Amino acid sequence: MTPEEAQAQLDQQVRETIQWHFSPETGCPFWLDWAKKNFDPRGVVNSYADLIAKFDHFQDENLRDLQPEVWVPAAFKGKPFNIFETGGTTGMPKQRIGWNDYKTDYEEFSGKISDDHFPPGGAWLMVGPTGPRRLRLAIEHLANFRGSSCYFIDLDPRFVKKLISNKQFDVARQYMDHVVDQATLILKNRKVTGLFTTPKLLEALAEKVDLYAAGIRGAFVGGTTMTPQYVRFMVEEVLEGQIGFYPTYGNTLMGLAASVPITPEDQFSVTYYAPQPRAVLRVVDPKNTSTVVDYDTWGRVELTTLTKEFFMPRFLERDEAMRRRPRAPYSWDGVADVRPFGAMEKTIVEGVY
C-alpha cells in the first residue's frame, strides 16, 4: 500500500480502538475511569496525530500495580484470560492480559518467513523464556500454524540478570552451559529444522553443534542488542551463510516487529517494522518526546498498541534506535540497530535475553 493508504488504515484503527475501549458496552474499567478523570476521547481523537497530541505517555507501572481485571474489556467479561509477564528483574512483574492477540500477531508474522528456511511440518526448537512469558505460547502457535510442532528448553532471564548484576559470572556461565547442553541433546536426537532463541544462545549453540548438519535451515532470533558487526558475525561465521537469519524486535506489549532482509547497502544494520496498524513505533527526541527525530538519527523508541484486547498509547520503551525510512513491503517508518536506552552512557545488564 502507499504511505497515504497506510496512514488512512492507521487512523481508522485509532478511531475503532478509541470507540471500543471508551464505550461502556465494550470498554475496560481502566480506560473508562481514565475518561471520567480526564476526557472522553470518542469523537475527539480521530487520527494517530490526534492521539499523539491528546494523550500523555502511558505509565507501565499501572501494569505492575493494578489488578489484571481492570484491563478486561466489557465485551470479554467472563472469559478467562492469559496472563503474560514482561520485563523486570526484581519485585512484582508487569503483566499484560490477553486472549487471541498473540495468535493474530504471530500468524501475521508467519507470512514473513520463508518455507525454505522454516519448512511446514518440520519441527521447531525454542531455547528461551517460557513460564509466564507470552513468547512460549506465541512460538508454539507459530509452529502449529505452519503445520509444525515445537520442542522447548526453558530459560529464566531474571536469574541470569541477577547473577550478572551480582558479578557471579561463573554461575551465569554454568547456567548458560546447562541450557545449551539441553538444546544440544535435542538437536542430536530429534529432527529439527527451525530454531528460535536469543543471539547469544545461538552463538553458544553453534559452538557445540554444526547447526546446518543437524538439520537447521532457519534461525528466528529476538532479545539482546545486535550491532552491525555482531549481525555480520552471526550471518557469516555462526550460520555460515547457509541458514536463514530472521532478527525480530518484540515484547509482550507490542507483539512482533519483523526485520527486512539485509541487503549489501545495509552493511548488516538491521531495521524492524512494527505490525501496523495493531502497533506503531516512533523514534522520538528524548528531550522533546512530542517530536520525532530525523531519519538515520538516534532517538528513544515510543510504542502505541491498538487492539481490542489492549490499548496502550505512547509508551516510552527502554530502548533507543535509529529512525529509518519506509521500505517495501512496509509503508511506514522503521527502527534500526535497537539497543537499551542510554547504552552509550552507562553499562546495561542484558544477560542472555
Side-chain angles (χ1 to χ4, degrees), residues 216-290:
I216 299 298
R217 294 296 176 266
F220 162 28
V221 301
T224 44
T225 302
M226 287 187 289
T227 63
Q229 296 90 333
Y230 190 70
V231 172
R232 182 173 187 171
F233 168 70
M234 295 297 289
V235 171
E236 295 183 350
E237 303 295 330
V238 175
L239 303 178
E240 299 178 329
Q242 296 179 295
I243 296 170
F245 185 54
Y246 293 84
T248 57
Y249 172 48
N251 56 42
T252 303
L253 304 179
M254 169 171 57
L256 198 63
S259 58
V260 287
I262 297 170
T263 66
E265 295 76 30
D266 294 323
Q267 298 181 315
F268 295 95
S269 171
V270 177
T271 302
Y272 307 97
Y273 289 86
Q276 272 191 220
R278 294 168 58 76
V280 193
L281 292 172
R282 294 200 313 160
V283 183
V284 300
D285 181 343
K287 296 177 181 174
N288 180 13
T289 57
S290 62

Side-chain angles (χ1 to χ4, degrees), residues 2 17 28 49 106 138 146 157 176-177 183 243 255 272 344:
T2 66
T17 302
C28 72
Y106 279 71
R146 297 181 63 81
M176 190 169 170
D177 289 344
I243 296 170
Y272 307 97
M344 300 304 287

Side-chain angles (χ1 to χ4, degrees), residues 141-159:
H141 182 73
L142 175 61
N144 293 170
F145 185 71
R146 297 181 63 81
S148 299
S149 294
C150 190
Y151 299 98
F152 291 90
I153 305 298
D154 191 25
L155 168 75
D156 183 350
R158 292 185 176 200
F159 181 55

Side-chain angles (χ1 to χ4, degrees), residues 124-130 135-136 139 150-153 195-196:
W124 286 43
L125 171 65
M126 174 183 169
V127 188
T130 59
L135 203 54
R136 161 67 172 86
I139 295 297
C150 190
Y151 299 98
F152 291 90
I153 305 298
L195 186 63
F196 172 83

